[in-house]
Amino acid sequence: MPRIRLDTDGPVVTLRLDNPPMNAFDSRQREELAACVRRLADSREVRAVVLYGGELLFAAGADIKALAAMGPAEVRGWNRALQRTFDEVARLPMPVVAAVTGYALGGGLELALCADYRVAAQDVVLGQPEVRLGIMPGSGGTQRLARLIGPARTKNLLMTGRSVGAEEALRIGLVDEVVAADSVHTAACAYARRLAAGPAAALEAIKEAVDHGGDTGISTGLALERSLFTQVFGTADAATGIRSFLEQGPGKARFDGPAREGAETDHDTEGRTT
């Protein structure tokens, strides 16, 4: 049975981890995740992605039993591959929303950090407990978490290995929205559909400018913004939006341009969609 499922609902695809009981990351799940993410990245039809682990939990991290059997050289390669796969999730051109239920620990939280927006359950438990095993996060926890909540709060979480609940996570900016546990996927899909109805080229450019511009100096970031602005200004969606604003006022445009002009043809997801 596949450990990753792609469930399609119009322009929104839910990428669901399906490796019970804890959705722990092993090599097989990572490979399936990488293959699915590459298919989504090439799609002209997918306009938003929801990351989801199911009703009970998001993901409890890496398969520690498998890691314990590895030597330093083997674990280096394993970690490099997982870092690369998570980076591919973060670099998906369309908006990505994480629907976080139950536990998101270690690699599970690191995967959620790759999303652009995180919806969490009221009873969620989030954390990077690696230090309690004498190790450290290795798939983005020291980098994406620090960029999201700041270095001091990141060091506190990573050095103590403590977990946080929904209220604290919302307060420090670790999650963006908290809803009832049975409404997480619904709320995440509703937000994803809202974004999917927007101008796809502009959304992709905004994501690129914020994510990549933030890793550079202000002058380089502004140059990237200027270049992307010029590219977006020439799209069909820009023509539609400007014309609608002038004729009907703000907020009435309907954007029908391709998800990514010039993207590859959408890959067949038959057999993955339920």
Side-chain angles (χ1 to χ4, degrees):
M1 295 292 292
R3 297 187 180 181
I4 303 292
R5 285 173 27 204
L6 295 180
D7 300 336
T8 301
D9 182 11
V12 176
V13 171
T14 294
L15 191 160
R16 178 166 178 165
L17 309 179
D18 192 13
N19 186 22
M22 303 300 286
N23 286 334
F25 273 92
D26 56 16
S27 295
R28 178 181 164 189
Q29 179 161 274
R30 187 213 52 87
E31 290 167 1
E32 289 188 19
L33 176 62
C36 288
V37 169
R38 288 165 192 158
R39 292 164 66 188
L40 293 172
D42 287 342
S43 173
R44 288 177 62 92
E45 305 302 324
V46 178
R47 290 177 175 261
V49 173
V50 175
L51 301 178
Y52 186 46
E55 296 84 357
L56 298 180
L57 83 163
F58 187 73
D63 185 340
I64 300 301
K65 185 176 181 180
L67 288 181
M70 298 181 188
E74 189 177 4
V75 81
R76 181 192 297 268
W78 183 91
N79 178 243
R80 183 185 296 112
L82 189 60
Q83 264 196 359
R84 182 173 61 246
T85 298
F86 282 9
D87 196 49
E88 289 175 344
V89 175
R91 292 177 180 272
L92 278 169
M94 66 286 292
V96 178
V97 182
V100 188
T101 56
Y103 291 90
L105 302 173
L109 179 55
E110 288 172 311
L111 176 59
L113 291 173
C114 297
D116 303 302
Y117 190 85
R118 281 160 289 279
V119 180
Q122 290 174 334
D123 60 354
V124 77
V125 178
L126 309 170
Q128 300 279 175
E130 289 89 347
V131 72
R132 297 184 178 184
L133 303 181
I135 57 177
M136 62 176 284
S139 300
T142 65
Q143 300 304 305
R144 291 192 177 94
L145 191 59
R147 285 163 170 77
L148 186 66
I149 66 173
R153 284 175 172 155
T154 296
K155 289 175 184 176
N156 172 259
L157 294 183
L158 301 191
M159 290 180 174
T160 64
R162 70 182 183 90
S163 298
V164 301
E167 182 179 352
E168 182 179 359
L170 184 63
R171 176 171 55 81
I172 66 177
L174 182 52
V175 302
D176 303 290
E177 184 178 346
V178 174
V179 300
D182 60 357
S183 301
V184 174
H185 185 250
T186 299
C189 287
Y191 184 70
R193 281 193 296 271
R194 176 183 174 188
L195 296 180
L203 292 174
E204 179 181 352
I206 289 168
K207 181 170 179 174
E208 182 176 352
V210 173
D211 288 352
H212 301 318
D215 292 335
T216 68
I218 184 66
S219 296
T220 303
L222 287 171
L224 173 62
E225 180 184 79
R226 183 168 60 250
S227 175
L228 291 168
F229 172 83
T230 303
Q231 293 175 36
V232 168
F233 201 81
T235 63
D237 277 340
T240 296
I242 292 171
R243 183 173 61 252
S244 175
F245 176 83
L246 294 175
E247 294 176 356
Q248 300 174 291
K252 296 181 175 62
R254 293 178 62 87
F255 299 104
D256 299 316
R260 288 189 300 134
E261 296 180 0
E264 297 294 331
T265 301
D266 186 26
H267 288 247
D268 180 11
T269 58
E270 184 178 354
R272 292 282 187 173
T273 303
T274 60

